Amino acid sequence: MLSAFLQGLATKLVEAILGRLVEWLAPKALRSVPHRASPNCPRCGGYGVARWAPARARAVFLLSLLAFGWGFGFTLLGVPVVVLHLAVTAVSAVREGAGHLLPALLAPLGLLVPGALLIAGAFGLSWYHSHPPRSCARCHGRWPRRERDEYLRSVRSTTYVCGCGQRLRVPRLDGPARLRCPRCGNERATPASPAR
C-alpha cells in the first residue's frame, strides 16, 4: 500500500515538474524562432493572442501546435535517454571492448524526427503569428480587423519616442521624414530608414 502511494506521488511529482518545465521552456523556444511579427500581446505582452486569420491559418496553427508539442516533448525526453545510452555504452566499451560503440553513436540520429517536428511546428506557429491580433485572453484587449500586409508593414516600421513620452511609429521610407507629435505638437526630423 505504501509503495503504491509513493509510486503515485512520484508520478504526480514528475508530471508537475515536466509540466512546469514545458510551460517555462515552450514560450522561450517559440520566441527564439525569427517571427515576422511578435507573438506577444501588444498591450500586456502576454503570449497566445487570438489572430485575425483565415480558417486554413487556424488549421495550420493547430497542426503546428501539435507538431511543436510532440517534437518538443520527445526532444526533451529523448536527449537524457540518448546521453544516458551513450554513457552506458561508453562504460561497457571500456570494460568489454569497442564492439558495441558503433550502434551507440547512431543513437543521436533518433532525435532527428522530433527535432524536425519541433522546427516545422515553430515555423508554422510563426506564420500564424504574422496575422494581426484580434483579442487577448489575458488583458481582454480587442483590435479591429486589419489586412496582414498592412499589419506587417506597421510592425516593421520604426518607432521614435517624443520628449513628452509619446511613441511615434513611422513606416520605412526612402528618405528622412518630419513627424508631428499628436500629444504636444512638437515637430521632429527622423533619419533615413535603413533599406530593406
Side-chain angles (χ1 to χ4, degrees):
M1 172 125 170
L2 184 62
S3 64
F5 171 73
L6 290 176
Q7 185 178 7
L9 184 66
T11 304
K12 289 201 181 277
L13 185 63
V14 167
E15 285 176 1
I17 289 172
L18 282 176
R20 292 287 180 171
L21 189 63
V22 167
E23 184 181 299
W24 178 71
L25 277 177
K28 292 184 184 325
L30 278 173
R31 287 186 185 111
S32 67
V33 176
H35 288 285
R36 295 179 72 185
S38 172
N40 298 344
C41 172
R43 188 174 293 164
C44 70
Y47 193 80
V49 178
R51 303 281 166 170
W52 288 110
R56 67 182 172 91
R58 288 191 209 106
V60 168
F61 171 72
L62 289 175
L63 291 174
S64 300
L65 192 61
L66 285 173
F68 181 82
W70 285 339
F72 184 77
F74 284 118
T75 303
L76 190 69
L77 295 174
V79 168
V81 169
V82 167
V83 169
L84 184 63
H85 180 65
L86 287 173
V88 167
T89 307
V91 168
S92 68
V94 168
R95 289 185 187 165
E96 301 168 8
H100 302 289
L101 199 56
L102 183 62
L105 294 176
L106 297 177
L109 294 178
L111 294 175
L112 286 179
V113 173
L117 272 176
L118 176 74
I119 292 169
F123 278 104
L125 290 173
S126 72
W127 178 74
Y128 172 76
H129 287 303
S130 69
H131 290 81
R134 183 180 67 203
S135 63
C136 176
R138 186 175 172 187
C139 70
H140 305 291
R142 298 204 172 277
W143 295 273
R145 180 183 286 275
R146 295 169 68 186
E147 293 298 321
R148 181 171 177 260
D149 295 335
E150 175 198 347
Y151 171 66
L152 289 176
R153 271 196 306 274
S154 71
V155 167
R156 292 189 196 125
S157 62
T158 310
T159 304
Y160 296 97
V161 180
C162 180
C164 66
Q166 175 73 32
R167 295 179 70 194
L168 307 169
R169 183 172 285 163
V170 181
R172 293 185 183 220
L173 303 169
D174 294 334
R178 300 211 45 89
L179 296 176
R180 183 176 295 278
C181 177
R183 183 188 288 177
C184 65
N186 288 339
E187 197 168 293
R188 172 181 176 174
T190 63
S193 300
R196 288 186 185 184

PDB file of all heavy atoms in Angstrom, residues 177-191:
ATOM      1  N   ALA A 177      12.069  61.864 -42.735  1.00  0.00           N
ATOM      2  CA  ALA A 177      10.673  62.318 -42.638  1.00  0.00           C
ATOM      3  C   ALA A 177      10.555  63.306 -41.488  1.00  0.00           C
ATOM      4  O   ALA A 177      11.420  63.372 -40.619  1.00  0.00           O
ATOM      5  CB  ALA A 177       9.757  61.127 -42.401  1.00  0.00           C
ATOM      6  N   ARG A 178       9.481  64.084 -41.479  1.00  0.00           N
ATOM      7  CA  ARG A 178       9.212  65.007 -40.384  1.00  0.00           C
ATOM      8  C   ARG A 178       7.974  64.513 -39.654  1.00  0.00           C
ATOM      9  O   ARG A 178       6.960  64.211 -40.266  1.00  0.00           O
ATOM     10  CB  ARG A 178       8.995  66.417 -40.903  1.00  0.00           C
ATOM     11  CG  ARG A 178      10.229  66.911 -41.649  1.00  0.00           C
ATOM     12  CD  ARG A 178      10.485  68.378 -41.593  1.00  0.00           C
ATOM     13  NE  ARG A 178      10.387  69.090 -40.369  1.00  0.00           N
ATOM     14  CZ  ARG A 178      11.378  69.268 -39.487  1.00  0.00           C
ATOM     15  NH1 ARG A 178      12.537  68.698 -39.682  1.00  0.00           N
ATOM     16  NH2 ARG A 178      11.210  69.993 -38.421  1.00  0.00           N
ATOM     17  N   LEU A 179       8.096  64.401 -38.329  1.00  0.00           N
ATOM     18  CA  LEU A 179       6.997  63.908 -37.505  1.00  0.00           C
ATOM     19  C   LEU A 179       6.441  65.036 -36.658  1.00  0.00           C
ATOM     20  O   LEU A 179       7.198  65.861 -36.148  1.00  0.00           O
ATOM     21  CB  LEU A 179       7.484  62.812 -36.550  1.00  0.00           C
ATOM     22  CG  LEU A 179       7.998  61.522 -37.146  1.00  0.00           C
ATOM     23  CD1 LEU A 179       8.525  60.628 -36.044  1.00  0.00           C
ATOM     24  CD2 LEU A 179       6.893  60.825 -37.875  1.00  0.00           C
ATOM     25  N   ARG A 180       5.126  65.067 -36.486  1.00  0.00           N
ATOM     26  CA  ARG A 180       4.497  65.987 -35.552  1.00  0.00           C
ATOM     27  C   ARG A 180       3.823  65.138 -34.487  1.00  0.00           C
ATOM     28  O   ARG A 180       3.001  64.287 -34.778  1.00  0.00           O
ATOM     29  CB  ARG A 180       3.482  66.885 -36.235  1.00  0.00           C
ATOM     30  CG  ARG A 180       2.861  67.899 -35.266  1.00  0.00           C
ATOM     31  CD  ARG A 180       1.931  68.843 -35.978  1.00  0.00           C
ATOM     32  NE  ARG A 180       2.595  69.695 -36.939  1.00  0.00           N
ATOM     33  CZ  ARG A 180       3.242  70.822 -36.641  1.00  0.00           C
ATOM     34  NH1 ARG A 180       3.306  71.233 -35.398  1.00  0.00           N
ATOM     35  NH2 ARG A 180       3.793  71.549 -37.576  1.00  0.00           N
ATOM     36  N   CYS A 181       4.191  65.399 -33.233  1.00  0.00           N
ATOM     37  CA  CYS A 181       3.642  64.624 -32.122  1.00  0.00           C
ATOM     38  C   CYS A 181       2.181  65.014 -31.907  1.00  0.00           C
ATOM     39  O   CYS A 181       1.871  66.206 -31.792  1.00  0.00           O
ATOM     40  CB  CYS A 181       4.449  64.875 -30.852  1.00  0.00           C
ATOM     41  SG  CYS A 181       3.792  64.036 -29.406  1.00  0.00           S
ATOM     42  N   PRO A 182       1.249  64.061 -31.835  1.00  0.00           N
ATOM     43  CA  PRO A 182      -0.153  64.405 -31.631  1.00  0.00           C
ATOM     44  C   PRO A 182      -0.445  64.881 -30.206  1.00  0.00           C
ATOM     45  O   PRO A 182      -1.437  65.556 -29.982  1.00  0.00           O
ATOM     46  CB  PRO A 182      -0.893  63.095 -31.925  1.00  0.00           C
ATOM     47  CG  PRO A 182       0.108  62.034 -31.719  1.00  0.00           C
ATOM     48  CD  PRO A 182       1.441  62.627 -32.040  1.00  0.00           C
ATOM     49  N   ARG A 183       0.443  64.573 -29.274  1.00  0.00           N
ATOM     50  CA  ARG A 183       0.186  64.960 -27.886  1.00  0.00           C
ATOM     51  C   ARG A 183       0.665  66.384 -27.598  1.00  0.00           C
ATOM     52  O   ARG A 183      -0.081  67.215 -27.105  1.00  0.00           O
ATOM     53  CB  ARG A 183       0.885  63.981 -26.935  1.00  0.00           C
ATOM     54  CG  ARG A 183       0.589  64.306 -25.464  1.00  0.00           C
ATOM     55  CD  ARG A 183       1.418  63.488 -24.504  1.00  0.00           C
ATOM     56  NE  ARG A 183       0.973  62.095 -24.478  1.00  0.00           N
ATOM     57  CZ  ARG A 183       1.570  61.153 -23.772  1.00  0.00           C
ATOM     58  NH1 ARG A 183       2.638  61.445 -23.065  1.00  0.00           N
ATOM     59  NH2 ARG A 183       1.116  59.927 -23.793  1.00  0.00           N
ATOM     60  N   CYS A 184       1.953  66.681 -27.923  1.00  0.00           N
ATOM     61  CA  CYS A 184       2.492  68.002 -27.567  1.00  0.00           C
ATOM     62  C   CYS A 184       2.638  68.929 -28.761  1.00  0.00           C
ATOM     63  O   CYS A 184       2.861  70.128 -28.593  1.00  0.00           O
ATOM     64  CB  CYS A 184       3.838  67.838 -26.869  1.00  0.00           C
ATOM     65  SG  CYS A 184       5.132  67.142 -27.915  1.00  0.00           S
ATOM     66  N   GLY A 185       2.556  68.399 -30.001  1.00  0.00           N
ATOM     67  CA  GLY A 185       2.635  69.240 -31.184  1.00  0.00           C
ATOM     68  C   GLY A 185       4.045  69.531 -31.648  1.00  0.00           C
ATOM     69  O   GLY A 185       4.225  70.232 -32.647  1.00  0.00           O
ATOM     70  N   ASN A 186       5.079  69.051 -30.966  1.00  0.00           N
ATOM     71  CA  ASN A 186       6.453  69.281 -31.414  1.00  0.00           C
ATOM     72  C   ASN A 186       6.725  68.534 -32.710  1.00  0.00           C
ATOM     73  O   ASN A 186       6.213  67.449 -32.933  1.00  0.00           O
ATOM     74  CB  ASN A 186       7.456  68.814 -30.342  1.00  0.00           C
ATOM     75  CG  ASN A 186       7.461  69.733 -29.143  1.00  0.00           C
ATOM     76  OD1 ASN A 186       7.042  70.878 -29.227  1.00  0.00           O
ATOM     77  ND2 ASN A 186       7.926  69.227 -28.021  1.00  0.00           N
ATOM     78  N   GLU A 187       7.557  69.161 -33.539  1.00  0.00           N
ATOM     79  CA  GLU A 187       7.913  68.543 -34.802  1.00  0.00           C
ATOM     80  C   GLU A 187       9.340  68.043 -34.717  1.00  0.00           C
ATOM     81  O   GLU A 187      10.202  68.679 -34.114  1.00  0.00           O
ATOM     82  CB  GLU A 187       7.778  69.570 -35.931  1.00  0.00           C
ATOM     83  CG  GLU A 187       7.724  68.929 -37.293  1.00  0.00           C
ATOM     84  CD  GLU A 187       7.305  69.931 -38.353  1.00  0.00           C
ATOM     85  OE1 GLU A 187       6.145  70.383 -38.327  1.00  0.00           O
ATOM     86  OE2 GLU A 187       8.157  70.245 -39.191  1.00  0.00           O
ATOM     87  N   ARG A 188       9.571  66.870 -35.338  1.00  0.00           N
ATOM     88  CA  ARG A 188      10.888  66.257 -35.217  1.00  0.00           C
ATOM     89  C   ARG A 188      11.267  65.648 -36.559  1.00  0.00           C
ATOM     90  O   ARG A 188      10.449  65.041 -37.233  1.00  0.00           O
ATOM     91  CB  ARG A 188      10.836  65.182 -34.138  1.00  0.00           C
ATOM     92  CG  ARG A 188      12.063  64.358 -34.064  1.00  0.00           C
ATOM     93  CD  ARG A 188      11.937  63.299 -33.003  1.00  0.00           C
ATOM     94  NE  ARG A 188      13.125  62.474 -33.047  1.00  0.00           N
ATOM     95  CZ  ARG A 188      13.394  61.536 -32.205  1.00  0.00           C
ATOM     96  NH1 ARG A 188      12.566  61.285 -31.229  1.00  0.00           N
ATOM     97  NH2 ARG A 188      14.493  60.839 -32.301  1.00  0.00           N
ATOM     98  N   ALA A 189      12.542  65.796 -36.947  1.00  0.00           N
ATOM     99  CA  ALA A 189      13.048  65.182 -38.178  1.00  0.00           C
ATOM    100  C   ALA A 189      13.605  63.812 -37.839  1.00  0.00           C
ATOM    101  O   ALA A 189      14.287  63.643 -36.809  1.00  0.00           O
ATOM    102  CB  ALA A 189      14.125  66.057 -38.803  1.00  0.00           C
ATOM    103  N   THR A 190      13.331  62.824 -38.668  1.00  0.00           N
ATOM    104  CA  THR A 190      13.843  61.480 -38.445  1.00  0.00           C
ATOM    105  C   THR A 190      14.933  61.189 -39.465  1.00  0.00           C
ATOM    106  O   THR A 190      14.893  61.692 -40.581  1.00  0.00           O
ATOM    107  CB  THR A 190      12.733  60.418 -38.614  1.00  0.00           C
ATOM    108  OG1 THR A 190      12.286  60.460 -39.951  1.00  0.00           O
ATOM    109  CG2 THR A 190      11.585  60.696 -37.672  1.00  0.00           C
ATOM    110  N   PRO A 191      15.923  60.383 -39.085  1.00  0.00           N
ATOM    111  CA  PRO A 191      16.931  59.996 -40.075  1.00  0.00           C
ATOM    112  C   PRO A 191      16.315  59.055 -41.108  1.00  0.00           C
ATOM    113  O   PRO A 191      15.212  58.546 -40.921  1.00  0.00           O
ATOM    114  CB  PRO A 191      17.988  59.288 -39.248  1.00  0.00           C
ATOM    115  CG  PRO A 191      17.282  58.835 -38.019  1.00  0.00           C
ATOM    116  CD  PRO A 191      16.189  59.839 -37.780  1.00  0.00           C
TER     117      PRO A 191
END
